[in-house]
């Protein structure tokens, strides 16, 4: 099928094809032109934004966190700059090799490597991640000399949190930790995500947590031009960070130390409050922990030690653990009797040593009874029968209604996180507390136990101290608080945390005077007399014992009971008696009678606070104490 | 005999082989290349200048060679190219998973580059030999001549180059008069094939799908084009960033040396394959359209030369060379602006790279040689 054509035909045929080719090229190039118009005109805004996003990076400048100092200016939490060795993984070819070579220059432990790996997974690919923190000066020098060998690795100054008082205020100041997913969610709901860009740590406990918003400050930013590798090319603009506010506490670190040491190895808690303001002077939960352990990511061994210890050092007993108040409840019961008109100060009962209710004998501590007992004696001698009868007369509703305004069984609203509300028992409470109908009914006998601070009663040491403060402050209830001032570090302007009277309980001065007088006598002739022997001031107090273990029918003998099952020891006190400057509640877990272990601690604390006297040594535990209850 | 060349005569002698329109357009492009290069990669300016000089010199030399002699080189060049390609297949060096280089002891050469010129030359020469008797058999033979080196290059594997070499040959065959009855179905098959790849891209691009003919990296290239965001930090990064560069250039561009995508290293390969992105970012739509117009004028000039060429061989050769220029430009700009897959094709006359520039300028030289002969035959 070979065709023979003349050359002229072929030339014209070729020319047709050349024209076709030219048209084809025109169409294709027009297609390109259309594409360019689309990209450069139609979608210009979009691509312009994309290019700007590429070019401009907002580098956050985290603010300096506010310091925390006690009422006398003693530093409790501060920042210190330390060098960290940072790796920018996106600029390093062989990470493992780099780390191996680095470990020949500076110490890099397995812990450091694990932490680096963890941090790296949480960070963006161009961010630098610390492989070592807190380099020594020598290590910094050694690295700097060899820096050229390590592209993508550099030394950076970072701020770390430091708690110079160690475990003294672990439960008050709290600690900081690395921001985790839950924190991220919280920040998101608070709308604070942007303000935490560049921040790696956040308050996890104590004041560090509750005052996070004050302490953190405002993150600044630098607008920088970056290249494709994420390296800064030049600074475009800067918005400086605003440092966080500092906190000045109502807490007296010296007082705290005395109280802390007075506990020694014992478990327990102490809360001391300035009654006229609600300011917390000391808040001890023993044993405590050293918040410095958490600053840099706590090691597994340290965490196990804290978390698995039977003494539970991470538990803030002062605000979270609720204990039956025992006889420390009696002054409040007495006041209830007077205020409701069920008793007068002079009215006396005959105490046979027991009280019969519903066929059951509620025993007094003293065999044979206290004889004729009036209000004053009932408190000084801690007579149970008086309060069995009073409780029966008041009824459970009457007790609950009177006690509630003092803050029993309710959150005090203290500016520390993790407060528990305890239990102010009432029929209503019982209905809600129990599921089975049989358990929901309130029995009259239960009211009798409540009268002496046992049974369902359970209050935190903070609630006891708050209630006592109200009692010695003519019925004015303050919200307890740990922070006195919030200070702007730039202007020095102080914002006072105003003492907030929550309510005024209508109480008759005569009734209050009667109760206080009885409490003063407790420390003179009663169950607190030994602990407060020779005091140069007049102090009111009341011992108490919270039953841990109920021995049905048999007599409680301390020696027969395992240490952990022994009764808890309470003491509440205030001083000076006429114009109280301090009101406190002490609880010693498994301390036995309140007079023996808790009262001496209260004595040491008040001695220091009023007289500046430091205790010579630890209070001895082996003295015989007068009978409690 | 004393012979003194008058200066004017000397200049005339130098300019004689030059086709003024072609040379003017080429000069504009090469100047643009230098301007853009200063922004894209100032360190390569000297080399680019040197390359330009060498390429222009070789263009001039080529333009002086009569086209008949050029065509007579076709067979030896083609045979040499095929032998070298076989040599690569047997003894070639493997680099980046493909066997493309042949170490001759003196230099490492890439025989597939040689084929880019040798192929159209060979087919043009072949059809010239069969002038007046071109029929079915000739087209089959031409197809075989085309298929052998293309197959060798595909198996290296180098899909991009094999397509360009194949295109160069097909252009000659097209201009030689292959029946439209064959062309139309071929084009349809190609369109349908590409269309179905686009339509079923999602399924085809699943990792477990094996494409048989193409290597993994070639599959990757096609798939990345279909959805650049599927791999924004890998292969897709190139297309995304070059598209951003072009788009953010807007109507008038960011100004020379002011391209942020360029100067902050967001554009990959910005002095070679992606140099068009630099240009479009800094000179905007205006700059891009000017480039398109200049290129199109150069192509039109090429087609005109082909139309007026004295012999069948030179007509086919000139047409094919012009189409090759077009193909490079279209594929490159299509790739950089994200409408064609990423294949390693430089932007003709603009991208950095001595070999490519020399090859292209030799091509221009061939066009000039053909044009000069037409002028001579007319006079």
């Amino acid at each position: 099928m070979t065709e023979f054509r003349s050359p002229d035909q072929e030339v014209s045929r070729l020319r047709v094809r050349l024209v076709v080719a030219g048209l084809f090229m025109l169409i294709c190039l027009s297609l390109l032109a259309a594409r360019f118009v689309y990209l450069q005109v139609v979608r210009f805004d979009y691509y312009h934004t994309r290019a700007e996003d590429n070019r401009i990076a907002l580098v956050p400048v985290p603010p300096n966190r506010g310091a925390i100092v006690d009422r006398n200016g003693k530093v409790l939490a501060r920042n210190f700059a330390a060098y960290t060795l940072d790796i920018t993984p996106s600029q390093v070819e062989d990470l493992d090799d780099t780390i191996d070579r680095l470990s020949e220059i500076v110490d890099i432990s397995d812990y450091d490597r694990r932490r680096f790996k963890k941090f790296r997974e949480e960070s963006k690919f161009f961010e630098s991640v610390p492989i070592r923190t807190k380099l020594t000066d020598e290590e910094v020098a050694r690295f700097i000399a060899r820096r050229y060998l390590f592209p993508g690795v550099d030394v950076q100054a970072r701020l770390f949190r430091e708690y110079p008082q160690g475990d003294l205020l672990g439960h008050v100041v709290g600690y900081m930790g690395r921001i985790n997913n839950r924190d991220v969610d919280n920040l998101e709901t608070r709308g604070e995500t942007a303000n935490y860009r560049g921040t790696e740590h956040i308050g996890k406990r104590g004041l560090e947590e509750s005052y996070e918003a004050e302490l953190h400050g405002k993150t600044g930013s630098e607008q920088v031009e970056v290249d494709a590798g994420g390296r800064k090319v030049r600074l475009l603009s800067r918005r400086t960070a605003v440092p966080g506010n500092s906190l000045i506490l109502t807490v007296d670190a010296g007082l705290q130390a005395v109280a802390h040491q007075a506990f020694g190895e014992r478990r327990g808690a102490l809360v001391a409050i300035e009654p006229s303001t609600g300011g917390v002077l000391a808040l001890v939960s023993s044993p405590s922990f050293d918040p410095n352990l958490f600053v840099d990511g706590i090691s597994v061994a340290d965490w196990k030690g804290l978390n698995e210890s039977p003494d539970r050092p991470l538990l803030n007993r002062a605000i979270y653990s609720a204990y039956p108040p025992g006889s420390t409840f009696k002054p409040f019961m007495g006041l209830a009797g007077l205020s409701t008109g069920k008793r007068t100060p002079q009215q006396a009962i005959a105490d046979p040593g027991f009280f019969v209710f519903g066929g059951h004998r509620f025993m007094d501590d003293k065999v044979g009874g206290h004889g004729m007992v009036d209000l004053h004696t009932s408190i000084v001698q801690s007579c149970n029968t008086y309060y069995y009868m009073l409780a029966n007369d008041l009824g459970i509703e009457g007790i609950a209604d009177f006690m509630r305004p003092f803050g029993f069984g309710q959150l005090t609203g203290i500016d520390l996180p993790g407060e528990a509300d305890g239990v102010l028992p009432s029929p209503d409470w019982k209905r809600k507390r129990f599921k089975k109908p049989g358990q929901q009914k309130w029995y009259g006998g239960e009211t009798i136990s409540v009268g002496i601070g046992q049974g369902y009663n359970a209050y935190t040491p903070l609630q006891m101290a708050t209630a006592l403060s109200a009692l010695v402050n003519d019925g004015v209830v303050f919200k307890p608080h740990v922070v006195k001032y919030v200070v702007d570090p730039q202007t020095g302007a102080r914002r006072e945390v105003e003492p907030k009277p929550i309510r005024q309980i209508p109480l008759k001065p005569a009734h209050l005077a009667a109760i206080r007088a009885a409490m003063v006598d407790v420390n003179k002739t009663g169950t607190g007399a030994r602990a407060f022997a020779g005091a140069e001031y007049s102090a009111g107090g009341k011992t108490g014992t919270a039953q841990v273990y109920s021995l049905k029918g048999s007599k409680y003998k301390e020696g027969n009971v395992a240490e952990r099952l022994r009764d808890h020891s309470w003491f509440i006190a205030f001083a000076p008696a006429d114009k109280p400057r301090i009101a406190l509640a002490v609880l010693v877990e498994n301390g036995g009678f309140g007079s023996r272990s808790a009262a001496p601690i209260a004595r040491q604390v008040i001695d220091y606070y009023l007289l500046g006297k430091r205790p010579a040594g630890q209070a001895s535990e082996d003295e015989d104490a007068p009978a409690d209850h | 005999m004393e012979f003194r060349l008058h200066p004017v005569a000397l200049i005339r002698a130098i300019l004689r082989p030059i086709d003024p329109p072609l040379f003017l357009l080429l000069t504009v492009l090469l100047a643009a290349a230098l301007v853009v290069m200063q922004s894209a990669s100032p360190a390569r300016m000297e080399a680019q200048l040197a390359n330009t000089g060498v390429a222009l010199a070789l263009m001039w030399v080529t333009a002086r060679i009569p086209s008949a002699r050029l065509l007579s080189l076709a067979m030896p060049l083609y045979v040499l190219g095929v032998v070298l390609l076989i040599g690569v297949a047997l003894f070639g060096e493997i680099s980046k998973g493909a066997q493309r280089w042949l170490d001759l002891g003196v230099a490492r050469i890439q025989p597939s580059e040689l084929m880019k010129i040798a192929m159209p030359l060979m087919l043009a020469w072949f059809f010239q030999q069969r002038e007046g008797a071109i029929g079915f058999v000739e087209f089959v033979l031409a197809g075989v001549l085309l298929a052998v080196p293309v197959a060798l290059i595909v198996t290296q594997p180098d899909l991009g180059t094999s397509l360009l070499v194949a295109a160069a040959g097909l252009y000659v065959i097209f201009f030689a008069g292959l029946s439209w009855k064959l062309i139309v179905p071929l084009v349809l098959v190609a369109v349908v094939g590409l269309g179905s790849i686009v339509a079923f891209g999602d399924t085809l691009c699943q990792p477990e799908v094996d494409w048989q003919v193409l290597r993994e990296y070639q599959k990757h290239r096609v798939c990345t084009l279909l959805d650049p965001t599927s791999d924004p930090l890998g292969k897709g990064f190139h297309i995304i960033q070059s598209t951003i560069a072009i788009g953010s250039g807007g109507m008038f561009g960011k100004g020379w040396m002011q391209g942020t995508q360029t100067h902050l290293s967001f554009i990959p390969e910005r002095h070679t394959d992606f140099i068009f992105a630099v240009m479009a970012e800094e000179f905007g739509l205006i700059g891009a359209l000017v480039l398109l117009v200049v290129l199109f004028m150069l192509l039109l000039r090429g087609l005109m030369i082909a139309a007026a060429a004295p012999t069948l061989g030179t007509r086919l050769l000139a047409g094919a060379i012009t189409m090759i220029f077009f193909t490079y430009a279209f594929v490159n700009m299509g790739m950089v602006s994200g409408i064609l897959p990423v294949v390693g094709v430089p932007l003709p006359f603009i991208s950095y790279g001595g070999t490519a520039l020399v090859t292209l300028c030799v091509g221009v030289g061939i066009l000039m040689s053909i044009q000069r002969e037409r002028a001579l035959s007319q006079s």
Side-chain angles (χ1 to χ4, degrees):
Chain A
M1 54 175 276
T2 308
E3 299 171 43
F4 291 94
R5 290 174 301 238
S6 75
D8 279 351
Q9 256 181 317
E10 277 198 24
V11 168
S12 63
R13 187 171 178 162
L14 175 68
R15 284 188 178 151
V16 169
R17 297 210 167 193
L18 286 171
V19 171
V20 169
L23 286 175
F24 177 67
M25 293 194 295
L26 185 64
I27 290 168
C28 287
L29 294 182
S30 303
L31 201 69
L32 282 179
R35 173 71 174 169
F36 300 156
V37 170
Y38 173 74
L39 291 178
Q40 299 187 293
V41 178
V42 181
R43 308 268 338 249
F44 169 71
D45 287 339
Y46 170 75
Y47 285 112
H48 176 73
T49 313
R50 288 285 305 266
E52 290 297 285
D53 286 350
N54 263 348
R55 175 176 82 92
I56 296 168
L58 222 56
V59 179
V61 181
N64 271 2
R65 194 175 176 85
I68 301 177
V69 301
D70 89 332
R71 65 189 300 143
N72 302 315
K74 192 163 198 169
V75 176
L76 309 180
R78 67 180 169 210
N79 308 316
F80 74 100
Y83 288 109
T84 61
L85 194 60
D86 281 22
I87 300 183
T88 308
S90 60
Q91 295 173 20
V92 175
E93 294 209 349
D94 187 340
L95 262 182
D96 289 331
D97 173 63
T98 301
I99 295 173
D100 286 343
R101 285 188 298 126
L102 279 173
S103 68
E104 290 162 16
I105 301 173
V106 298
D107 251 2
I108 293 173
S109 63
D110 286 347
Y111 170 63
D112 291 324
R113 284 171 193 257
R114 275 200 305 276
R115 187 179 52 185
F116 175 80
K117 202 165 162 259
K118 190 167 151 271
F119 288 178
R120 206 192 142 199
E121 285 161 6
E122 295 165 354
S123 54
K124 299 191 183 83
F125 86 106
F126 55 81
E127 278 176 351
S128 65
V129 179
I131 175 78
R132 246 301 297 280
T133 56
K134 297 182 193 165
L135 295 176
T136 64
D137 288 349
E138 198 192 320
E139 282 174 322
V140 171
R142 268 208 303 269
F143 173 76
I144 296 284
R146 295 169 181 79
R147 176 155 57 186
Y148 68 96
L149 294 170
F150 297 96
V153 184
D154 213 345
V155 168
Q156 260 193 17
R158 286 175 192 241
L159 288 178
F160 285 88
R161 201 65 162 166
E162 184 183 45
Y163 305 100
Q165 307 301 323
D167 68 352
L168 182 59
L169 282 132
H171 287 290
V172 175
V173 173
Y175 57 79
M176 302 188 64
R178 218 171 151 84
I179 293 177
N180 61 25
N181 290 340
R182 220 180 51 211
D183 299 322
V184 169
D185 291 344
N186 283 340
L187 290 173
E188 210 154 294
T189 45
R190 279 168 50 202
E192 284 279 290
T193 310
N195 198 25
Y196 278 78
R197 283 192 57 200
T199 299
E200 290 162 346
H201 296 85
I202 194 166
K204 296 279 188 181
R205 256 173 194 258
L207 292 171
E208 295 275 33
E209 180 187 349
S210 56
Y211 282 84
E212 175 65 31
E214 295 284 358
L215 291 165
H216 177 65
K218 289 254 178 304
T219 297
S221 61
E222 284 180 351
Q223 226 186 17
V224 293
E225 194 169 77
V226 293
D227 67 9
R231 283 169 288 261
K232 287 186 201 177
V233 178
R234 65 194 165 109
L235 182 69
L236 300 174
S237 71
R238 186 201 303 267
R239 194 161 52 84
T240 49
V242 180
N245 292 327
S246 297
L247 303 179
I248 299 178
L249 306 190
T250 56
V251 172
D252 179 333
L255 187 70
Q256 176 86 8
V258 168
H260 179 73
Q261 280 159 22
F263 275 91
E265 300 287 304
R266 290 174 294 181
R267 295 176 305 282
L270 175 145
V271 178
I273 290 177
E274 188 174 57
S276 59
T277 62
V280 173
L281 301 171
L283 190 142
V284 175
S285 176
S286 179
S288 185
F289 62 89
D290 184 354
N292 289 304
L293 293 175
F294 291 87
V295 165
D296 204 7
I298 190 165
S299 70
V300 175
D302 284 339
W303 173 249
K304 268 191 153 166
L306 288 176
N307 203 34
E308 291 172 11
S309 159
D311 290 340
R312 304 184 65 191
L314 293 176
L315 175 68
N316 190 346
R317 291 168 163 85
I319 66 171
Y320 186 74
S321 298
Y323 308 87
S327 299
T328 59
F329 205 44
K330 286 173 181 168
F332 299 97
M333 282 296 292
L335 189 59
L338 298 179
S339 296
T340 55
K342 298 281 183 194
R343 294 288 183 277
T344 66
Q346 296 75 30
Q347 204 174 347
I349 57 130
D351 172 20
F354 58 84
F355 174 72
V356 180
F357 181 86
H360 179 79
R361 270 192 178 201
F362 289 85
M363 297 305 296
D364 203 324
D365 203 62
K366 192 172 176 184
V367 181
H370 293 270
M372 289 305 285
V373 178
D374 62 5
L375 176 75
H376 190 86
T377 317
S378 75
I379 290 175
V380 175
Q381 296 191 6
S382 202
C383 167
N384 282 354
T385 308
Y386 185 92
Y387 292 97
Y388 291 147
M389 296 166 87
L390 178 56
N392 193 35
D393 289 351
L394 285 168
I396 187 63
E397 301 276 12
I399 296 172
D401 288 347
F402 182 79
M403 296 300 171
R404 199 169 290 117
F406 284 86
F408 286 109
Q410 292 158 74
L411 297 179
T412 63
I414 191 172
D415 47 356
L416 285 175
E419 191 190 355
D421 57 1
V423 177
L424 174 64
S426 69
D428 195 40
W429 165 80
K430 209 179 172 196
R431 255 196 312 281
K432 284 177 190 153
R433 166 71 179 75
F434 292 102
K435 296 259 154 40
K436 290 181 191 159
Q439 292 175 317
Q440 287 178 327
K441 187 180 184 304
W442 185 270
Y443 295 98
E446 292 171 334
T447 308
I448 311 302
S449 297
V450 167
I452 60 159
Q454 306 293 352
Y456 292 120
N457 277 312
Y459 309 121
T460 63
L462 174 65
Q463 283 172 348
M464 292 307 295
T466 307
L468 178 63
S469 294
L471 187 137
V472 301
N473 199 37
D474 300 329
V476 181
V477 184
F478 279 100
K479 185 159 135 181
H481 57 97
V482 178
V483 174
K484 193 171 176 66
Y485 298 107
V486 175
V487 185
D488 183 331
Q490 287 181 313
T491 61
R494 289 180 165 199
R495 191 170 79 241
E496 190 173 3
V497 176
E498 297 283 336
K500 277 194 198 115
I502 301 174
R503 69 183 78 84
Q504 164 79 60
I505 307 171
L507 297 167
K508 290 217 168 76
H511 296 161
L512 285 165
I515 300 293
R516 283 190 215 155
M519 289 179 76
V520 169
D521 265 2
V522 168
N523 283 356
K524 285 198 175 125
T525 62
T527 48
R530 183 177 287 273
F532 279 85
E536 294 164 46
Y537 48 84
S538 169
K542 184 68 195 86
T543 53
T545 303
Q547 287 170 3
V548 172
Y549 183 66
S550 149
L551 295 153
K552 290 236 169 78
S554 55
K555 185 90 177 85
Y556 173 88
K557 274 227 173 59
E558 205 176 282
N560 294 344
V561 182
E563 200 256 338
R564 298 252 163 199
L565 297 177
R566 282 184 207 160
D567 293 341
H568 297 324
S569 171
W570 274 106
F571 196 76
I572 59 173
F574 60 91
D578 49 343
K579 185 104 180 90
R581 287 164 52 203
I582 181 169
L584 57 83
V586 185
L587 178 113
V588 181
E589 280 188 10
N590 315 113
F593 293 132
S595 56
R596 195 181 312 163
S597 44
I601 295 175
R603 170 75 193 271
Q604 286 182 28
V605 168
I606 298 174
D607 271 3
Y608 176 83
Y609 190 65
L610 295 184
L611 311 172
K613 255 184 17 195
R614 281 178 191 282
Q618 281 312 120
S620 69
E621 273 201 63
D622 51 18
E623 308 167 57
D624 280 322
D628 199 345
H629 286 262
Chain B
M1 192 173 84
E2 277 242 327
F3 184 77
R4 266 202 66 169
L5 211 53
H6 192 271
V8 176
L10 177 68
I11 291 171
R12 269 215 189 111
I14 290 175
L15 288 181
R16 193 172 303 130
I18 302 288
D19 175 50
L22 214 46
F23 185 71
L24 187 71
L25 293 165
L26 180 65
T27 309
V28 170
L29 290 176
L30 292 176
L34 289 172
V35 169
V36 177
M37 193 62 64
Q38 177 67 34
S39 180
S41 182
R44 292 185 171 84
M45 274 302 278
E46 276 182 36
Q48 176 75 7
L49 274 168
N51 289 343
T52 306
V54 170
L56 285 175
L58 284 172
M59 176 198 78
W60 185 77
V61 169
T62 312
R64 281 172 53 86
I65 303 173
S67 54
R69 192 179 295 166
L70 284 171
L71 282 171
S72 69
L73 284 172
M75 181 62 116
L77 276 179
Y78 177 83
V79 172
L80 177 68
V82 171
V83 167
L84 288 176
L85 280 175
I86 293 169
V88 168
L90 295 178
F91 318 108
E93 283 180 26
I94 296 173
S95 148
K96 289 183 190 167
Q99 210 166 3
R100 295 174 186 171
W101 298 89
L102 192 60
D103 197 338
L104 295 179
V106 205
R108 284 188 339 148
I109 59 163
Q110 211 175 343
S112 51
E113 282 295 319
L114 176 64
M115 249 10 237
K116 285 178 181 171
I117 289 187
M119 174 58 73
L121 207 55
M122 176 65 197
L123 289 180
W125 174 82
F126 169 74
F127 284 116
Q128 165 122 21
Q129 297 304 304
R130 311 292 301 168
E131 190 173 7
I134 297 170
F136 183 72
V137 179
E138 281 66 33
F139 285 115
V140 170
L141 280 175
V144 173
L145 285 173
L146 176 61
V148 170
V150 168
L152 283 169
I153 299 169
V154 166
T155 53
Q156 283 183 354
D158 187 348
L159 186 68
T161 309
S162 63
L163 281 176
L164 290 172
V165 170
L170 285 171
Y171 293 140
V172 180
I173 292 175
F174 167 73
F175 289 126
L178 183 67
S179 167
W180 287 109
K181 286 175 203 155
L182 278 169
I183 295 170
V184 173
L186 272 177
V187 171
L188 277 181
V189 166
V191 168
V192 169
L194 285 174
S196 56
I197 287 179
V198 173
F200 303 107
D202 283 353
T203 341
L204 288 170
C205 290
Q206 296 300 314
E208 58 277 4
V209 179
D210 184 6
W211 284 18
Q212 307 285 346
V213 202
L214 302 185
R215 300 281 169 120
E216 192 59 30
Y217 80 98
Q218 291 163 338
K219 172 187 169 188
H220 203 122
R221 280 181 178 179
V222 176
C223 291
T224 304
L225 176 85
L226 296 175
D227 182 13
T229 51
S230 66
D231 184 14
L233 292 176
K235 296 275 154 58
F237 183 82
H238 291 24
I239 295 180
I240 290 172
Q241 294 301 338
S242 65
T243 316
I244 292 173
I246 296 169
S248 64
M251 181 68 78
F252 301 104
K254 297 175 185 170
W256 187 50
M257 310 290 283
Q258 303 295 313
T260 55
Q261 291 284 102
T262 302
H263 289 271
L264 298 172
S265 311
F266 286 99
I267 303 178
E269 304 291 329
R270 58 187 178 282
H271 59 284
T272 56
D273 290 359
F274 283 82
I275 197 161
F276 176 73
V278 177
M279 204 172 165
E281 183 185 26
E282 300 195 343
F283 300 101
L285 180 64
I286 302 295
L289 292 182
V290 167
L291 176 72
L292 283 183
V293 168
V294 172
L295 273 172
F296 187 58
M297 287 165 68
L298 185 131
L299 297 171
L300 283 183
R301 180 67 189 160
L303 292 181
M304 283 165 64
I305 290 173
T311 63
L312 175 62
T314 50
R315 283 194 288 275
L316 296 182
L317 189 57
I321 286 174
T322 307
M323 288 302 283
I324 292 168
F325 290 169
F326 159 76
T327 308
Y328 277 42
F330 179 68
V331 170
N332 176 274
M333 287 187 280
M335 155 186 98
V336 175
S337 62
I339 54 175
L340 291 176
V342 176
V343 281
V345 176
L347 181 62
F349 308 111
I350 312 279
S351 285
Y352 176 82
T355 314
L357 192 58
V358 164
T359 310
L360 290 159
C361 285
V362 165
V364 174
I366 293 173
L367 287 179
M368 288 180 172
S369 155
I370 294 169
Q371 168 65 10
R372 186 170 58 93
E373 257 161 51
R374 189 204 67 149
L376 287 178
S377 67
Q378 276 172 351
S379 57

